[in-house]
Structures are given as structure tokens and as C-alpha cells.
Amino acid sequence: MTSQVSSPAEQTDGTVVGEQRKPGGAKDVRRLDRVIIRFAGDSGDGMQLTGDRFTSETASFGNDLSTLPNFPAEIRAPAGTLPGVSSFQLHFADHDILTPGDAPNVLVAMNPAALKANIGDLPRGAEIIVNTDEFTKRALQKVGYASDPLQDGSLDGYSLHPVPLTTLTVEALKEFDLSRKEAERSKNMFALGLLSWMYHRPTEGTEKFLRSKFAKKPDIAEANIAAFRAGWNFGETTEDFAVSYEVAPAAKAFPVGTYRNISGNLALAYGLITASRQADLPLFLGSYPITPASDILHELSKHKNFGVRTFQAEDEIAGIGAALGAAFGGSLAVTTTSGPGVALKSETIGLAVSLELPLLVVDIQRGGPSTGLPTKTEQADLLQAMYGRNGEAPVPVVAPRTPADCFDAALEAARIALTYRTPVMLLSDGYLANGSEPWRIPDLEELPDLRVRFASGPNHTLEDGTEVFWPYKRDPRTLARPWAIPGTPGLEHRIGGIEKQDGTGNISYDPANHDFMVRTRQAKVDGIDVPDVEVDDPHGARTLVLGWGSTYGPITAAVRRLRAAGESIAQTHLRHLNPFPRNLGTVLKGYDKVVVPEMNLGQLATLIRAKYLVDAHSYNQVNGMPFKAEQLAAALKEAIDD
């Protein structure tokens, strides 16, 4: 969520806020204000599905939540190895939260590799549920365990729950006509059932989901449901789990409205569809599959009923070429990619700058350079988005701050592209793309009117009185050129990458004309109307923390921690990175110190120093993971005291 309301609970571990003892020797129920759970196992163990189902039921229950899926780039990394570990972390609470959490309160480890890869993140006292069936001598040796951690005392500082998940699952499914290997695949559903019992999660949605997912294999569906129910019943009957937990709905965290859980890529896809409807234009996506952007292509391909056309091209260059052609033809045109794809698309982005056509270039950033870390997050494409083209080719840049905000960022990018006739870069990242949070579905009257007026006839009169169409005669307010649909009688005009003459659009090598066109294109971007940046500074601080993109959640959580500890610190966050908000320079010069946390080596800080001559202090991380709130709070405290 994006509320700025201070929440002291954001700075603590899950707190017990009440305890209820049931009569007749039944198990105790403890009420918590928040919990962080991490499911971890092999890539083939279904941890992403397990986490997603637990998240969906948590969202339907009404908790605020934030998630962090984390998985290897390989389709199936070697089983039982550290590189093959896949995990899904969920933070849910009865109040407004901002991050997936720094440290899990509960770890579900399906094998020794999952335990070893994640044990370092757990605080002492955390609960660990392990699948003891996988702790064989060979599996332990594969990940470097000299002795069994379940037996050698190394986990004495934790609340350990050894559970033979595989054996229990196979036993629960013995009535089904399944091989042992097929039955073992349902152990993630057994684990999901157990955790659902522990935290009083609804179950109807998961059972409905399983019947739908395996509609063509009803026996498999019923087997998974049986495993899920067996996990629930195990929690209810076993002596090892004497306590279950309740986390109340976050009723006060949400404004009135209808909510759903949504990931960043899904929100972005919905935002693009909404923008096309609000513009009354068909939506065209020209794309080549690339992690972590492919989900947008997958989602948009489902919505032909909304006038969406998707084209899976043979490569990145063909994808953007088709999209630019669709823009010329009058569509709301989009191409989606990640950093390596932006590099390949750069020449066509420059062509779009020259043609001055609306085009959305969606970059879901990932770790680089080159192929880099395909499934990890980074925000290191900012300078590429700003300058990664030959010549003076300015492009507006917009960045969402949370998964749900990807919807609004898509609408804003479309507004700029359509109004100013320019390609726009939208910079999301893997953390936002795959993470999720509650999203309030907007009312129709809240949505912007994005309708455009196409050129319909001559717009210029020559000295001899002849009326003609000039493709580069500009709107005096926006400097946008007219958008003429090919085939409209009388609006024939040239296109191409060679420099155009002002007004007529004829090819021109005139030095003065080129200088004028370059400066005009820059002035068009510089003049884009963007809202002033807002500063959250309730105590008149001397230090400002400035962020952009997905650092919003960790920064805001860190700021809350510091304020709860009595520190004074201000915060502001940028959505528009080109052009910057007009009041940004004034805001920055109002503070003694400006700290810029980024998941790169200081790209925004470099831009800020160059443009505003402000001594911005960088705090950087490029390890493929989002910042932790505690880590940022310590760094910001040091900046305040320095």
C-alpha cells in the first residue's frame, strides 16, 4: 500500500497481540499483528504456486500483504542443490505494510538445500518446518552438510518442527491410482494445508483453483485437494503444533472500495488495456519473450475482446518495429522487454523520436550487464533509458513505485505518449513485476480521458492560398505534431529516419533546420506537464531521502522506523525521471543533505548532481535483491548523524 500513515509495527517483528485458550483441551490461538512466511524448496517443488495460493487466500481474508518470489533462471536447476532453490516470501498484517519483510518468522524448507540457502535470513526463535524425508545422507552431502542439522543441535535456537511431508502425502493419497512419484508431487499442497491451518487461512478458494487448474485431469485435482486437506488435518491433530495464529484483516489500512491481489506485471497489463479504452484506440503489443517481462505478453494475449492485438515477434527488433508501425497506423502501440532487449530496440526508439509517434517502451529491469541475472531485480537501466540512443534523442521516463502502482504508471505513460507524440520509457523491475499487493479497483469516473484527435484535413495555407497538410506543424502548447492515419485522403506525408524539414516533413540536410529540430524535440520533452514532487516532512528535517521506482517500499518502511525512534527525516519519491518535476531543484536545495538509495551504482544521484549541483549521497546495492528496511534505516541514521 502507499499510505504515508506512520505504523510503529513496521519496525518490529511479528508481535503477539492476544491469546485465546479454547476449552476442553483444544489448541491455543494467538493473535499476531503481522507474520512473514517463506516457502522454499527445489524449482520443481511448486513453491511459487504454494506461495501464490497462500497469498490469494490471505488477500481474500482482507490482510494487507506484500510478496517476494525468488527463483533461479534455469527452467529446472539441478535438484537438491543451492542454485536450484526457489522461494516465495509473504508478509501479511492487520495494518498498512510496505515490504515483503526483512526476516521470515516462519521457514518451510522442503529439503536440505532450502534450509541451508535460507537459514541465514532467519532470526533466532523463528519457526522452521522441514520435510524430514529429504534429509538423507546423500542430500545433506550435496549441499555441504557434514552432519544432519536436525540432529546436531545447530538449530537449537529455533522452533523446529520436523514433519515427514513426503511420507504423509503419499499415505494420504494411497486411495488414488497414482504412482509414488506422482503422489509425492502433491507434498507442496500438504504443506499449504498445514500453513493454512496454522494461520486460519480460507480454503475454499484453493480447492476451487485446483479443480479449475486440473479440470482435464480430475483425479489429479482431487488428489491435490486430498493432500491439502490432509495437511490441514495434520495441523489440527498433531501434538507438535500446539498453537495456531490469527492475523486480523487490515480494515483500517484500506480506503473504502473493492480490492484484489495483483502483481506488478498484471497491473501493468490492465493499465495498458484501460489506457487503450480511455483513448478509444486499439491496443497493439509487439514483443519478444524475455524474463521478467513475458507475463505482460501472456496476459494481453487473453484480451482480444478489448481490441487487444498481440504479436510475438521473432526477435526484439521485429517486436518494436511492428509496434512502431502500429503507432503509425493509429493504435496505442506498446513493446515490452528487459534491459538486453532495450539495447536491441534502441535504433527503433530513435526512429520513433524522429517520427514523433506515440510508443510505449516497457522495460522490466533485471540484473545486468548482458544476460546478467534474468530472475533477479535491479534498477540499473535508468541511464540507458535517458541516453541509450545515438544522437540527441530525448525520451520521457516514468517509473512505478509498487506493484499496484504499475496500473497508474501505465496510464500516465500513455497520457504522455499520446499528448506529446513521443515514445515513452516505462521502467518497472523484477521486484515489482513478480511481487504483489492489494489493489483497489478504480471507479470509471476516476480514470483519465485519453482520447486524441487525428488529423482530418489540411492544416496549413501556402502563400498562394493553397491548403496543404504539414506533418510537422506543431501544437503551440505541447509542440506535438499532428497524428495522421495513413490512407486519409490529402494527408500523404513522408516518414523515415532522415532529418525532416520543420513543418513540411521533407528530407532536409540544412544545418540550421537540424539544429532547430533537435532543440524542438528536446523542448517538447522538457515541457511535458508533470505534477510537482511532494515531500513527506512532518518535523522539518535537515536530511532528505530521495528515491525512485521500487525502492519506495523499503525507503518508506525505513523512514517509519527512524521516526518511531525519534529521528527527523524527510522523504520524497520520483515517478517522473524525464522530465523531472519542476519544483525538484527547489526541494533539494531546501535540505542540508540528500541521500539517494538505488539498486544500481548511483545513476539517479549522477543525474541529480549534474542537473541541480546538489551533493547527493548515494547508497547503493546491486545484489539482485531489494533493499531491506533495517539495512536502509541504519544507513539513513548514519547519514543523519554524519
Side-chain angles (χ1 to χ4, degrees):
M1 301 299 291
T2 57
S3 170
Q4 293 288 333
V5 178
S6 179
S7 175
E10 183 75 36
Q11 71 180 33
T12 64
D13 292 328
T15 304
V16 177
V17 296
E19 187 166 333
Q20 175 184 350
R21 293 188 178 274
K22 293 186 176 181
K27 296 185 178 183
D28 294 340
V29 179
R30 295 178 186 171
R31 293 196 304 274
L32 304 176
D33 65 346
R34 70 186 187 99
V35 175
I36 303 168
I37 298 174
R38 183 181 296 176
F39 299 93
D42 268 337
S43 297
D45 282 340
M47 294 297 93
Q48 302 306 316
L49 175 62
T50 305
D52 184 67
R53 288 315 313 160
F54 195 95
T55 299
S56 295
E57 299 295 3
T58 296
S60 69
F61 188 73
N63 296 118
D64 196 7
L65 61 89
S66 180
T67 68
L68 178 62
N70 185 18
F71 44 88
E74 292 81 4
I75 294 174
R76 180 67 192 270
T81 64
L82 294 176
V85 173
S86 173
S87 68
F88 188 105
Q89 183 164 307
L90 166 67
H91 182 189
F92 62 102
D94 65 2
H95 58 273
D96 173 36
I97 59 174
L98 298 150
T99 74
D102 288 357
N105 308 116
V106 181
L107 171 66
V108 180
M110 303 298 281
N111 60 20
L115 177 64
K116 188 164 189 177
N118 292 281
I119 190 68
D121 292 337
L122 267 63
R124 306 298 280 182
E127 292 193 80
I128 303 175
I129 301 171
V130 296
N131 180 15
T132 56
D133 289 325
E134 294 296 323
F135 279 69
T136 64
K137 183 177 180 179
R138 183 173 182 274
L140 291 167
Q141 291 175 343
K142 188 180 290 188
V143 295
Y145 275 123
S147 60
D148 187 348
L150 307 184
Q151 307 292 336
D152 63 11
S154 61
L155 300 178
D156 286 351
Y158 306 95
S159 178
L160 180 64
H161 301 281
V163 180
L165 286 172
T166 305
T167 299
L168 291 171
T169 302
V170 172
E171 179 66 20
L173 302 184
K174 63 182 180 181
E175 65 184 72
F176 293 86
D177 186 21
L178 299 174
S179 67
R180 179 179 177 86
K181 186 175 182 180
E182 289 173 328
E184 288 178 359
R185 290 174 182 165
S186 297
K187 62 181 180 289
N188 64 324
M189 288 297 104
F190 189 100
L192 177 60
L194 174 57
L195 269 292
S196 297
W197 171 83
M198 283 182 65
Y199 292 96
H200 295 255
R201 299 295 92 184
T203 60
E204 295 81 3
T206 293
E207 294 192 9
K208 182 178 179 181
F209 167 82
L210 290 171
R211 288 194 173 97
S212 174
K213 180 177 177 63
F214 298 106
K216 296 181 179 180
K217 298 179 179 180
D219 290 346
I220 299 297
E222 293 306 316
N224 277 281
I225 291 170
F228 176 67
R229 291 175 176 172
W232 177 284
N233 293 333
F234 177 78
E236 184 71 32
T237 57
T238 184
E239 294 297 324
D240 193 35
F241 293 90
V243 177
S244 64
Y245 304 92
E246 288 183 348
V247 181
K252 297 180 180 179
F254 304 123
V256 176
T258 302
Y259 288 80
R260 61 156 293 165
N261 183 52
I262 201 165
S263 68
N265 273 353
L266 183 59
L268 209 156
Y270 286 176
L272 294 173
I273 295 170
T274 303
S276 76
R277 303 299 288 179
Q278 293 302 107
D280 197 22
L281 296 174
L283 177 64
F284 180 89
L285 174 68
S287 183
Y288 180 75
I290 184 172
T291 301
S294 299
D295 287 342
I296 302 172
L297 170 61
H298 300 160
E299 182 62 33
L300 290 180
S301 68
K302 303 174 184 177
H303 297 287
K304 295 181 176 65
N305 56 312
F306 287 118
V308 179
R309 294 294 178 267
T310 54
F311 170 55
Q312 181 174 319
E314 65 269 31
D315 55 39
E316 296 281 4
I317 298 172
I320 190 173
L324 185 57
F328 178 61
S331 293
L332 176 60
V334 185
T335 188
T336 53
T337 189
S338 190
V342 173
L344 293 167
K345 295 177 189 290
S346 62
E347 183 180 5
T348 308
I349 297 173
L351 176 59
V353 171
S354 176
L355 297 179
E356 301 189 45
L357 287 170
L359 174 67
L360 302 187
V361 181
V362 178
D363 177 5
I364 313 297
Q365 300 166 96
R366 71 190 206 187
S370 186
T371 307
L373 303 174
T375 60
K376 308 302 180 183
T377 196
E378 208 165 88
Q379 50 177 181
D381 295 350
L382 176 56
L383 294 183
Q384 181 185 34
M386 290 285 291
Y387 304 119
R389 293 162 296 282
N390 64 296
E392 296 288 346
V395 171
V397 181
V398 175
R401 60 177 62 182
T402 70
D405 189 48
C406 289
F407 177 87
D408 295 316
L411 285 171
E412 176 64 359
R415 176 191 72 85
I416 293 172
L418 295 171
T419 302
Y420 296 90
R421 310 286 197 270
T422 177
V424 177
M425 294 284 296
L426 195 159
L427 294 182
S428 179
D429 61 44
Y431 171 37
L432 296 184
N434 296 316
S436 63
E437 67 174 349
W439 171 57
R440 187 180 70 83
I441 300 173
D443 295 328
L444 289 176
E445 57 268 20
E446 298 173 19
L447 300 174
D449 184 352
L450 300 179
R451 288 174 294 182
V452 298
R453 183 174 297 174
F454 293 114
S456 58
N459 62 358
H460 184 75
T461 304
L462 299 176
E463 292 182 1
D464 63 2
T466 304
E467 292 186 339
V468 296
F469 174 68
W470 275 14
Y472 282 86
K473 185 169 185 176
R474 302 178 182 278
D475 181 304
R477 182 181 65 86
T478 64
L479 299 182
R481 78 174 187 92
W483 194 359
I485 301 300
T488 306
L491 302 190
E492 297 84 357
H493 61 282
R494 294 178 177 86
I495 62 168
I498 296 179
E499 186 62 279
K500 310 296 187 299
Q501 184 182 53
D502 177 44
T504 68
N506 295 333
I507 291 173
S508 174
Y509 291 94
D510 179 66
N513 177 78
H514 177 59
D515 183 273
F516 178 81
M517 294 294 279
V518 167
R519 294 179 186 276
T520 300
R521 288 188 289 262
Q522 184 65 58
K524 180 172 67 171
V525 172
D526 291 341
I528 291 172
D529 182 25
V530 302
D532 282 349
V533 68
E534 297 181 358
V535 182
D536 176 22
D537 184 7
H539 306 118
R542 297 174 59 190
T543 300
L544 173 72
V545 54
L546 171 69
W548 70 277
S550 66
T551 57
Y552 173 79
I555 288 174
T556 306
V559 166
R560 288 181 178 180
R561 292 182 182 219
L562 291 171
R563 289 177 181 170
E567 300 290 344
S568 179
I569 188 168
Q571 174 190 2
T572 192
H573 209 80
L574 295 177
R575 164 174 283 176
H576 296 91
L577 296 153
N578 193 32
F580 287 129
R582 285 171 175 74
N583 69 330
L584 180 58
T586 302
V587 166
L588 296 175
K589 291 176 182 177
Y591 291 89
D592 295 343
K593 188 173 297 182
V594 177
V595 183
V596 187
E598 298 181 79
M599 291 187 294
N600 57 48
L601 295 183
Q603 297 187 14
L604 176 61
T606 297
L607 295 174
I608 293 297
R609 292 189 191 106
K611 186 172 180 65
Y612 299 110
L613 303 181
V614 170
D615 186 20
H617 298 258
S618 288
Y619 182 73
N620 308 117
Q621 172 177 295
V622 283
N623 62 6
M625 298 294 289
F627 283 112
K628 293 183 177 180
E630 181 180 5
Q631 163 196 2
L632 272 182
L636 296 176
K637 178 66 166 63
E638 184 178 336
I640 293 171
D641 295 340
D642 187 8

